[in-house]
Amino acid sequence: MWSSHPLHFTALDLLYQFEQQIGQKQVGGYIYFKGLDAIEKDEGRIPMFYLICIS
């Protein structure tokens, strides 16, 4: 994913990017965003998150 802002994601931009990524997948039924769970940063110091969804 790439942010529309060069330094960071806004909350709205982040949710829009998630919707775009998940909308292209065949997950079956409806899914709802529940939250994010932080993972340690990778070697490039880029923060990583688990996307938590419920049906």
Side-chain angles (χ1 to χ4, degrees):
M1 291 190 308
W2 299 103
S3 170
S4 59
H5 188 278
L7 298 177
H8 61 273
F9 280 97
T10 63
L12 183 61
D13 190 31
L14 188 59
L15 287 173
Y16 177 76
Q17 293 288 339
F18 287 151
E19 192 275 330
Q20 292 297 309
Q21 293 291 319
I22 293 171
Q24 298 172 9
K25 311 268 188 283
Q26 296 291 330
V27 293
Y30 292 99
I31 60 169
Y32 302 96
F33 175 74
K34 184 174 180 184
L36 297 173
D37 193 11
I39 306 172
E40 294 180 18
K41 295 181 180 180
D42 69 357
E43 294 96 26
R45 306 281 302 151
I46 297 172
M48 296 170 33
F49 298 90
Y50 285 114
L51 175 66
I52 304 167
C53 297
I54 59 174
S55 58

